[in-house]
Amino acid sequence: MESTATISNKKDQQIRKFGEIIQMIRNIFSTPTDFIPLHKPYFGGNEKKYLEETIDSTFVSTVGPFVDKFEEMMQQITGAKYAVATTNGTTALHLSLLVAGVKKGEEVITQALTFVATSNAIAHAGAVPIFVDVDKDCLGMSAVSLRDWLDKNAKVNSEKQCINKNTGNRIAACLPMHSFGLPLQIEDIINVCNEYYLPVIEDAAESLGSYIGESHTGTFGLLGTFSFNGNKTITCGGGGAVITNDETLAKKAKHLSTTAKVPHKWEFAHNEIGYNYRLPNLNAALACAQLEQLPAILANKRSLAQLYKQFFKNTDIEFIEERTGTTANYWLNTIMFRTEEEQLAFLDFTNNNGVMTRPAWKLMTELPMYALCERGNLDNSEYMVQRLVNIPSSYRP
Ligand SMILES: *Cc1c(COP(=O)(O)O)cnc(C)c1O
């Protein structure tokens, strides 16, 4: 048994170690005493100018030049042929699932370690999520876990549909997520999905500016989605985008996002149940100004990640780096502790001392609305949630 003296000595050591980390973060952000948030937006370009132009033009709503310009910019940045602007990342996911052919009562495979919006969008489409594990190095869906679950639980029928043998329902899509901007092994995921005739939608909400080789995240699957919420790499207040190389799907997504209105000079004709999911011009103006600064913001965030990486190299805490051959946007820098006990102590200490840190999300299987969903072995996800912490990652002016 450890003596009281040893325990208190260990506690002292831990507090010293955490104190040094706080000091390092305060130095990096040149913020000796004030509160340091996890991720705050940076408006250093044409934001006010474009917003003023929008107000002056009166085109603040869902029609306007900035919406079109935003879509063009997203095509250029990601290299996708088509981009469709949406009100947020959740609606971008919902639309993508619908145009990929997901129907009520069907099932969609996603990862247990993700933000709740990924699963919610599946539910909004009337489908049921199935949860598989993540890889330890990139925190995105594991192709091994995906294959394992499919091999045990799914079959392909004579119509080339993937069927869940347990429920008899069709599995209509696979929805992996690039966690914290770290690109996942999407090519391996797509190989598995091809064998099972599953379309892949990439939740790239967190990975604007992240690449696998030369290709942007979100361009590997049938569709990819982004979010421009207030805490993302860049923001337009609220906003999202769907990208794809498929013209038919892009047109369908835009049609559904604009109340499924049939174009006509004056008639109100709508040919299916649509949604009011189109991004307002006001938000698009902000998005355009932000996207103009994306290269500078990414470079700034990369230099922050370098500083963190250098610091944690000499500690027993691991800084999660981009996989070889990939470029992360380092949206939220992530460290990993050796034990849950230390993770919790660190979260407590930093948040009590004016430095905001956060654990990864609770696993989806722990949330009441998804607790009964099917899942594979989640060993990595369970291991990681007990050790991961996100540390301050804002742009430093
Ligand atoms: C932010 C986020 C979303 C949803 O984006 P909103 O714009 O907030 O609707 C979806 N998935 C992931 C992984 C996210 O981080």
Side-chain angles (χ1 to χ4, degrees):
M1 217 179 106
E2 284 182 307
S3 72
T4 323
T6 323
I7 292 171
S8 95
N9 196 19
K10 267 191 176 167
K11 268 245 153 356
D12 287 351
Q13 269 181 23
Q14 193 174 66
I15 286 172
R16 218 174 308 128
K17 178 162 114 184
F18 293 170
E20 281 168 18
I21 296 173
I22 286 196
Q23 205 44 56
M24 175 269 298
I25 294 173
R26 290 203 168 282
N27 289 343
I28 284 179
F29 283 92
S30 310
T31 306
T33 51
D34 287 353
F35 174 73
I36 301 180
L38 193 63
H39 199 281
K40 70 173 180 191
Y42 168 68
F43 302 117
N46 289 318
E47 286 87 351
K48 284 185 182 163
K49 179 167 173 261
Y50 292 172
L51 282 173
E52 227 168 75
E53 275 178 36
T54 309
I55 292 166
D56 289 345
S57 77
T58 75
F59 282 93
V60 294
S61 198
T62 50
V63 175
F66 281 116
V67 186
D68 300 329
K69 187 174 169 212
F70 167 68
E71 291 178 336
E72 272 164 36
M73 290 179 86
M74 281 303 290
Q75 288 161 20
Q76 233 157 42
I77 288 164
T78 61
K81 278 197 191 142
Y82 307 96
V84 178
T86 63
T87 44
N88 57 56
T90 312
T91 54
L93 280 169
H94 184 197
L95 284 179
S96 297
L97 290 162
L98 294 178
V99 303
V102 176
K103 304 221 161 45
K104 197 174 166 200
E106 296 185 330
E107 300 175 12
V108 175
I109 303 178
T110 189
Q111 60 203 57
L113 181 72
T114 184
F115 179 57
V116 69
T118 318
S119 310
N120 285 347
I122 294 170
H124 295 165
V128 177
I130 296 165
F131 299 106
V132 298
D133 210 0
V134 295
D135 280 326
K136 268 186 176 170
D137 58 351
C138 65
L139 316 176
M141 185 183 283
S142 153
V144 174
S145 171
L146 175 66
R147 172 178 293 289
D148 182 63
W149 191 89
L150 283 167
D151 286 352
K152 285 180 184 147
N153 299 286
K155 62 171 189 220
V156 174
N157 70 10
S158 57
E159 288 152 65
K160 296 189 172 166
Q161 291 179 326
C162 183
I163 305 294
N164 182 340
K165 290 191 284 191
N166 310 314
T167 62
N169 296 328
R170 184 172 87 113
I171 303 170
C174 178
L175 180 49
M177 195 279 281
H178 300 276
S179 301
F180 310 128
L182 298 160
L184 65 94
Q185 308 252 25
I186 190 68
E187 284 147 313
D188 294 351
I189 296 286
I190 287 174
N191 284 338
V192 175
C193 286
N194 284 345
E195 285 178 40
Y196 280 90
Y197 297 92
L198 286 174
V200 174
I201 299 163
E202 294 175 70
D203 185 347
E206 305 179 354
S207 66
L208 182 69
S210 299
Y211 294 81
I212 297 155
E214 302 289 308
S215 304
H216 201 289
T217 52
T219 60
F220 293 81
L222 187 62
L223 300 129
T225 66
F226 294 90
S227 164
F228 302 92
N229 189 27
N231 66 349
K232 295 298 198 299
T233 300
I234 64 152
T235 185
C236 58
V242 176
I243 60 166
T244 182
N245 290 322
D246 185 313
E247 188 182 0
T248 313
L249 294 183
K251 281 193 169 146
K252 187 120 205 266
K254 184 171 174 186
H255 184 62
L256 283 177
S257 76
T258 49
T259 64
K261 186 179 183 302
V262 183
H264 190 279
K265 266 205 176 115
W266 44 262
E267 195 179 62
F268 282 114
H270 306 263
N271 59 5
E272 59 188 307
I273 298 174
Y275 299 85
N276 181 11
Y277 281 176
R278 189 136 179 94
L279 184 71
N281 199 39
L282 199 61
N283 298 85
L286 202 54
C288 290
Q290 287 266 282
L291 284 177
E292 286 171 354
Q293 301 163 80
L294 183 63
I297 289 172
L298 290 172
N300 189 289
K301 289 174 74 69
R302 175 160 285 272
S303 76
L304 172 62
Q306 281 302 322
L307 292 172
Y308 279 148
K309 182 178 143 185
Q310 281 306 319
F311 177 88
F312 287 108
K313 213 195 266 171
N314 306 314
T315 70
D316 61 0
I317 300 162
E318 187 188 336
F319 177 77
I320 310 276
E321 280 184 73
E322 62 203 0
R323 281 188 301 119
T324 314
T326 71
T327 309
N329 64 2
Y330 288 111
W331 168 52
L332 288 187
N333 290 288
T334 309
I335 56 176
M336 188 171 79
F337 289 91
R338 285 192 179 167
T339 63
E340 183 180 27
E341 186 199 355
E342 199 178 22
Q343 176 211 38
L344 296 175
F346 181 77
L347 285 164
D348 216 40
F349 189 83
T350 45
N351 285 294
N352 284 335
N353 284 281
V355 173
M356 185 169 166
T357 59
R358 286 290 180 264
W361 315 277
K362 273 193 197 308
L363 296 188
M364 291 303 110
T365 46
E366 312 251 308
L367 305 181
M369 58 285 193
Y370 302 119
L372 299 178
C373 294
E374 283 190 66
R375 82 268 326 255
N377 171 315
L378 300 178
D379 285 353
N380 291 347
S381 305
E382 279 156 13
Y383 182 93
M384 300 310 279
V385 282
Q386 291 171 356
R387 288 166 179 80
L388 293 180
V389 173
N390 292 132
I391 54 179
S393 301
S394 307
Y395 177 96
R396 293 168 305 140

